[in-house]
Amino acid sequence: MPFTAVLVYHAARSARAPSVLRELAAEQRLRILPLSSAHEVLNLASRSQLAGIVLGPGSTGEVLGLCRALKKDSLSAIVPVVVLEPRGEQGFGLEALAAGADEVLTASMRRDEQFLRLQRALQRADRDLGVHPSTRLPGTAQIERDITERLRRKEGFAVCYADLDNFKEFNDRYGYSEGDRVILLLSRMLRDVVRAHAPTGFLGHIGGDDFIFNVPLAQMRVCCEEGIAIFDELIPYQYTEVDRHAGYFLGKDRQGTIFRIPLMSLSIGVVTNESRRFTHPAQVSELATEMKVYAKTLPGSVYAVDRRSEDGVVVLGGRVVADGLATGAAEQP
């Protein structure tokens, strides 16, 4: 779990968690914290990042009221709530779901089904917290996991850090709603390109106009080149006809000087393990950021590939490239 590994168990008449909950906690390395007071549960959920809350036996009104209160508070609404249905209370499960419960475990369920439903409820919450709300793409935690898994498999891969140029100026001129629409457009474009050319690829959203796509080494070039080509074809139509035909619009810097702001372009910094050995995803992330920053210094839409080896030089096409960088819309060294 990426958050504090605490699983709260609330039951007014019992301080000991049921065995299925203890078994899951042991497997997931979670610490069970028993709380008998509903007020304590609400207070802790609003100020801590919990793995989940399980509501055990208690009066129907208290359990449903606590469930509603947890889901009403924006600070605790993201915490998964699992309710244990009391024996013999028909219709309670539906009421609990209506009150906001993420899962209901009934007494009639087999133990293995209870375990699996409880496990899946926590996993869904973990996954949903890592998804970027505007694009529904995986966030930084999943990006790191994907890089870690590729390192573990020792496969050839490329991590591509995509970023928009002149996006802030576009946002200032056209408004944040139009800016959000451009980000969504970029996310769908990158998703389609990665899906088409690298079925085992991964696309994540760091935030804002920053995206990461991880693809097998053999598909890096086509993904970058096609992504840039589609972007450059579509992005002019996000501007007014006047700005589109001019190829720029006028803006002012902090000193009040008027200058031309070009249409948005796409910069992609690329890191591969072709000539380097990585042991941790942070190494890859740091280098990808460096390459992205370098790509943004180049005019227009471009991708920059780090071809440096461990000793700082690289051979491309049989010749040594002094700075170890290969750049260009078509990766021209």
Side-chain angles (χ1 to χ4, degrees):
M1 290 279 181
F3 301 105
T4 305
V6 171
L7 186 60
V8 169
Y9 176 65
H10 168 71
R13 297 191 297 268
S14 174
R16 183 170 173 78
S19 59
V20 66
L21 186 58
R22 298 197 304 271
E23 182 183 344
L24 180 74
E27 180 192 84
Q28 301 290 324
R29 297 182 180 179
L30 302 173
R31 181 170 65 90
I32 297 178
L33 178 63
L35 295 176
S36 59
S37 165
H39 176 73
E40 286 182 300
V41 174
L42 287 170
N43 185 47
L44 184 63
S46 66
R47 61 181 174 83
S48 303
Q49 293 176 314
L50 303 174
I53 298 173
V54 178
L55 304 182
S59 69
T60 299
E62 181 195 16
V63 171
L64 296 180
L66 179 54
C67 189
R68 292 190 188 97
L70 287 165
K71 292 303 179 179
K72 185 178 180 180
D73 187 338
S74 61
L75 296 177
S76 60
I78 60 175
V79 180
V81 175
V82 177
V83 175
L84 305 183
E85 182 184 63
R87 289 183 179 274
E89 292 203 27
Q90 295 183 350
F92 176 84
L94 288 177
E95 291 184 87
L97 291 173
D102 296 278
E103 182 61 88
V104 177
L105 305 184
T106 68
S108 62
M109 290 178 182
R110 288 173 29 177
R111 179 187 173 83
D112 55 352
E113 182 180 354
Q114 288 184 332
F115 182 90
L116 190 58
R117 286 179 177 272
L118 181 58
Q119 181 187 61
R120 292 292 183 265
L122 300 186
Q123 288 175 344
R124 285 195 301 270
D126 188 19
R127 177 200 63 203
D128 292 344
L129 284 173
V131 171
H132 198 279
S134 65
T135 59
R136 304 302 296 170
L137 289 174
T140 53
Q142 288 94 325
I143 292 171
E144 183 171 310
R145 289 193 199 112
D146 184 79
I147 296 174
T148 300
E149 180 60 21
R150 293 176 192 274
L151 289 172
R152 186 190 68 79
R153 293 199 300 260
K154 299 185 181 342
E155 62 182 22
F157 66 86
V159 172
C160 309
Y161 189 159
D163 185 22
L164 293 177
D165 306 313
N166 303 312
F167 174 73
K168 180 183 182 302
E169 292 81 0
F170 175 90
N171 216 35
D172 291 343
R173 180 173 176 82
Y174 287 90
Y176 67 86
S177 61
E178 288 299 301
D180 287 347
R181 192 169 61 81
V182 166
I183 289 174
L184 186 59
L185 174 68
L186 177 60
S187 73
R188 291 177 175 174
M189 181 207 75
L190 291 175
R191 181 197 60 192
D192 290 345
V193 167
V194 170
R195 181 179 293 171
H197 297 288
T200 61
F202 170 92
L203 173 63
H205 188 181
I206 298 175
D209 58 321
D210 291 358
F211 293 84
I212 290 280
F213 57 96
N214 306 330
V215 296
L217 191 58
Q219 281 76 53
M220 177 270 291
R221 185 189 300 267
V222 66
C223 287
C224 288
E225 291 178 359
E226 186 164 320
I228 284 174
I230 296 174
F231 178 86
D232 283 348
E233 181 178 348
L234 294 180
I235 206 63
Y237 295 99
Q238 313 315 309
Y239 292 81
T240 64
E241 186 175 356
V242 172
D243 289 350
R244 179 169 66 251
H245 286 301
Y248 65 89
F249 59 86
L250 298 179
K252 287 185 179 180
D253 61 20
R254 294 180 179 179
Q255 287 72 42
T257 304
I258 297 176
F259 64 101
R260 292 182 177 184
I261 300 174
L263 303 188
M264 285 180 286
S265 54
L266 181 63
S267 293
I268 305 175
V270 182
V271 174
T272 79
N273 62 344
E274 186 175 21
S275 303
R276 286 180 180 266
R277 291 185 301 274
F278 298 104
T279 59
H280 193 277
Q283 297 171 306
V284 183
S285 175
E286 182 179 357
L287 197 53
T289 301
E290 176 188 331
M291 294 307 300
K292 185 263 296 189
V293 171
Y294 172 75
K296 290 178 73 68
T297 66
L298 305 172
S301 293
V302 65
Y303 68 98
V305 184
D306 179 26
R307 297 292 195 185
R308 291 169 292 186
S309 63
E310 299 293 339
D311 56 9
V313 298
V314 62
V315 176
L316 280 180
R319 66 187 182 87
V320 174
V321 179
D323 62 4
L325 300 176
T327 64
E331 199 195 1
Q332 299 169 355

